[in-house]
């Protein structure tokens, strides 16, 4: 199904309003498009909109899996009142209802699971929207490569793969009973946030995320006290990618070593 999209011109900024799994899709899109899209893209995880989001030069994308997310509904009303360009991405609910009532473009999708399991939709639809609007170049080749890589990874991560051959199960065992911190940089910064959310929602366990290089300017100093807590009850995961800035690759190694010595 191809969703309708107006041929808007003279847009100067994009705000994506969403919470939880929908906001993660927005984070991934904002990070991915940072080096491709000439327009600033911000993610709104709150009620209302920032003051700059006014008029037809602002595109506000309201993304809510259920269509009933309180904060996103409020952002929708703020965008409509401020006369912004608006698009709704949802499975239905009140948000879809209001979009139809106000003749606002509505991109719907079918997904009966939890929002956290629909990140493919919350990211993929936004990616398609950006591409069709001309914000970014055609991403067909990159998308096909990503799908192929994920399918290859699945061979080692499925539930029926034994622990000895399954890195996900081995990691899970090491994280049990610990407060987890996930650290990422660049494209992996929103991925670190995603991991944190998955640990919270799936394992019902505590976790937080940090971004490099910012974490080296403050978080690193907090690895000294209290030693009894840090040594026995915490675990830090560092995410790495070939796309990392060379300085952040170095920072990752140095920060990991510092954590091992001090925590």
């Amino acid at each position: 199904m191809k969703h309708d999209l107006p041929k808007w011109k003279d847009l100067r900024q994009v705000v994506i309003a969403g919470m939880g799994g929908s906001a993660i899709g927005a984070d991934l899109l904002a990070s991915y498009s940072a080096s491709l899209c000439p327009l600033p893209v911000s993610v709104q995880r709150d009620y209302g909109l920032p003051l700059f989001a006014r008029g037809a030069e602002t595109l506000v994308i309201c993304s809510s899996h259920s269509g009933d997310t309180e904060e996103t509904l409020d952002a929708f009303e703020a965008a409509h009142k401020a006369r912004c360009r608006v698009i709704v991405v949802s499975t239905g609910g009140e948000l879809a209802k209001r979009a139809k009532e106000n003749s606002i473009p509505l991109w719907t999708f079918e997904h009966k699971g939890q929002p956290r399991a629909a990140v493919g939709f919350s990211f993929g639809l936004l990616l398609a929207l950006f591409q069709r609007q001309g914000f970014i170049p055609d991403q067909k080749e990159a998308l096909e490569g990503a799908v192929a890589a994920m399918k290859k990874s699945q061979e080692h991560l499925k539930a029926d793969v034994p622990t000895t051959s399954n890195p996900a199960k081995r990691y899970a065992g090491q994280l049990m009973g610990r407060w987890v911190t996930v650290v990422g940089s660049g494209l992996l910064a929103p991925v670190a946030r995603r991991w944190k959310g998955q640990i919270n929602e799936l394992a019902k366990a505590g976790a937080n995320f940090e971004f490099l290089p910012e974490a080296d300017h403050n978080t690193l100093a907090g690895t000294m006290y209290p030693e009894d807590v840090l040594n026995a009850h915490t675990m830090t995961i560092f995410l790495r990618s070939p796309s990392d800035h060379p300085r952040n690759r170095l920072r990752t190694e140095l920060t990991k070593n510092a954590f091992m010595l001090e925590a």
Side-chain angles (χ1 to χ4, degrees):
M1 181 175 74
K2 188 172 183 178
H3 297 85
D4 293 333
L5 181 65
K7 294 182 179 179
W8 288 323
K9 296 181 179 180
D10 301 321
L11 291 169
R12 300 189 63 182
Q13 59 254 344
V14 181
V15 178
I16 309 173
M19 304 293 295
S22 299
I24 282 294
D27 280 333
L28 293 169
L29 187 280
S31 180
Y32 182 79
S33 65
S35 62
L36 302 171
C37 178
L39 276 64
V41 180
S42 59
V43 180
Q44 176 75 352
R45 282 182 167 84
D46 206 339
Y47 298 92
L49 290 172
L51 186 60
F52 71 79
R54 295 290 183 274
E57 65 183 19
T58 302
L59 172 61
V60 178
I61 305 169
C62 295
S63 178
S64 169
H65 183 276
S66 67
D68 296 319
T69 308
E70 180 179 319
E71 299 90 338
T72 310
L73 286 167
D74 192 71
F76 172 89
E77 293 300 327
H80 188 51
K81 183 177 180 180
R83 299 183 182 279
C84 300
R85 306 289 191 185
V86 183
I87 291 180
V88 166
V89 178
S90 178
T91 62
E94 179 64 21
L95 190 59
K97 177 175 176 288
R98 295 185 191 183
K100 292 176 182 177
E101 290 174 348
N102 292 279
S103 300
I104 287 173
L106 171 62
W107 285 28
T108 59
F109 61 96
E110 293 185 10
H111 184 267
K112 296 182 180 180
Q114 292 290 334
R116 59 181 175 269
V119 69
F121 287 101
S122 61
F123 170 74
L125 288 172
L126 295 178
L127 183 70
L129 194 159
F130 267 46
Q131 181 175 304
R132 288 180 55 192
Q133 191 63 35
F135 296 159
I136 60 175
D138 190 315
Q139 296 301 299
K140 183 176 184 293
E141 184 176 344
L143 190 61
E144 290 176 346
V147 171
M150 286 189 288
K151 286 183 176 180
K152 185 173 180 62
S153 294
Q154 277 184 328
E155 297 173 6
H156 308 288
L157 303 177
K158 291 181 179 179
D160 58 354
V161 176
T163 303
T164 53
S165 304
N166 192 321
K169 289 183 178 181
R170 294 200 300 273
Y171 267 122
Q174 295 176 41
L175 301 180
M176 287 182 65
R178 299 175 184 269
W179 186 280
V180 182
T181 299
V182 189
V183 183
S185 68
L187 289 173
L188 292 181
V191 178
R193 186 171 197 156
R194 167 71 169 174
W195 276 44
K196 177 264 185 192
Q198 291 293 85
I199 292 170
N200 294 156
E201 293 193 287
L202 297 179
K204 314 303 180 189
N208 64 285
F209 62 91
E210 295 283 355
F211 301 151
L212 285 174
E214 174 64 20
D216 283 348
H217 292 263
N218 36 61
T219 306
L220 188 58
T223 60
M224 299 179 68
Y225 305 107
E227 291 184 9
D228 57 335
V229 172
L230 293 169
N231 289 336
H233 303 293
T234 64
M235 176 71 76
T236 304
I237 300 173
F238 290 87
L239 305 180
R240 294 180 294 186
S241 167
S243 67
D244 291 341
H245 189 284
R247 295 296 295 175
N248 280 332
R249 286 202 293 270
L250 177 60
R251 281 183 179 274
T252 296
E253 290 304 313
L254 294 176
T255 307
K256 181 182 69 174
N257 291 339
F259 267 65
M260 292 172 67
L261 290 172
E262 298 176 13

